[in-house]
Amino acid sequence: MSMAPLIFDCDGVLLDSEPLAMRAILEELATHGIAFDPQEAARRFVGATDAEVARMVTAESGHPLPLDFPERVAERALALFAGELRPMAGAAAFFASHRGPRAVASNSGQRRLERALAIAGLAPFFAPDRCVSQEQVARPKPAPDLYLHVAALFDRPPESCLVVEDSVTGATAAVAAGMTVIGFLGASGQAPDQADRLRAVGVSVLADNFAALPGVLTGLARN
Ligand SMILES: [Mg+2]
């Protein structure tokens, strides 16, 4: 039997980028005089596209954000990444020994995805055509489009794919695609009840970090 394709979310799974990505959003909102409690922002915005964040904030504040808000946030995030972005602990070691098909499926834009993977030193572990951003599909996560697109790239049924996701938005997308989702709890700044929130949307197994992932995969392969 061939190995199950393993599909990774990027921010909060491959990269410990969520605190920096959130900082980019909060700093950009601040230039419009909009202040957000960081914990509340993390709870609501992690996993959402920057366009979705702009829609949510505009709807609530009555302050229309400019159309280029997502591009501005992306530029700000890349500037922060250049100085501070790190791969998730244990990620490089995992990929050095992992065999089998793999891909990245990210709700960020294509340029930011590729740059961030390169900055963190993880780009060599993924074929360029297996780094898929929401720009390549009609609807971002939580819609299943991204994950279904990746399954099609592998020419495999979605049910045979495994997904590693840290956010409720991303896990919802993968569950909707019919995939088995491993909830990843290794990112910094995750909500204390993140495991419960992931289980509530259909995440079946959890991994505390990359070191735990091989054991989790072995367990799933036995079932
Ligand atoms: Mg994520």
Side-chain angles (χ1 to χ4, degrees):
M1 193 190 101
S2 57
M3 288 181 77
L6 189 53
I7 311 171
F8 293 85
D9 174 48
C10 186
D11 294 288
V13 174
L14 295 178
L15 310 177
D16 204 3
S17 50
E18 289 295 7
L20 296 175
M22 204 47 56
R23 220 167 96 199
I25 290 172
L26 292 176
E27 287 179 10
E28 190 58 33
L29 286 175
T31 68
H32 297 279
I34 298 171
F36 243 96
D37 171 65
Q39 277 195 322
E40 172 72 7
R43 192 173 187 85
R44 301 186 47 202
F45 298 157
V46 167
T49 65
D50 294 327
E52 190 54 39
V53 169
R55 273 192 291 277
M56 282 192 261
V57 172
T58 296
E60 285 171 29
S61 68
H63 180 119
L65 293 167
L67 286 176
D68 67 350
F69 178 83
E71 287 75 28
R72 286 173 176 270
V73 171
E75 286 311 310
R76 210 177 265 280
L78 281 176
L80 291 171
F81 286 178
E84 301 180 45
L85 184 62
R86 299 285 174 271
M88 196 63 69
F94 173 84
F95 289 120
S97 63
H98 170 256
R99 299 284 169 261
R102 54 177 178 251
V104 187
S106 173
N107 242 7
S108 74
Q110 191 70 30
R111 178 168 174 270
R112 182 183 135 183
L113 171 63
E114 290 172 6
R115 285 288 303 139
L117 287 173
I119 291 168
L122 296 180
F125 296 115
F126 294 91
D129 67 345
R130 295 292 185 270
C131 296
V132 182
S133 77
Q134 55 106 348
E135 286 173 25
Q136 297 183 38
V137 294
R139 300 174 300 170
K141 307 171 192 176
D145 302 31
L146 257 167
Y147 283 114
L148 294 174
H149 179 68
V150 174
L153 287 178
F154 284 117
D155 197 21
R156 296 283 288 269
E159 302 75 37
S160 75
C161 297
L162 302 175
V163 173
V164 187
E165 267 286 358
D166 68 305
S167 76
V168 167
T169 300
T172 300
V175 168
M179 299 178 177
T180 299
V181 185
I182 301 164
F184 187 80
L185 302 173
S188 32
Q190 275 194 334
D193 61 345
Q194 190 64 7
D196 294 333
R197 297 176 72 215
L198 290 171
R199 281 199 197 91
V201 296
V203 170
S204 45
V205 286
L206 298 165
D208 285 336
N209 47 46
F210 264 94
L213 203 47
V216 170
L217 295 173
T218 302
L220 286 171
R222 275 201 208 101
N223 289 340

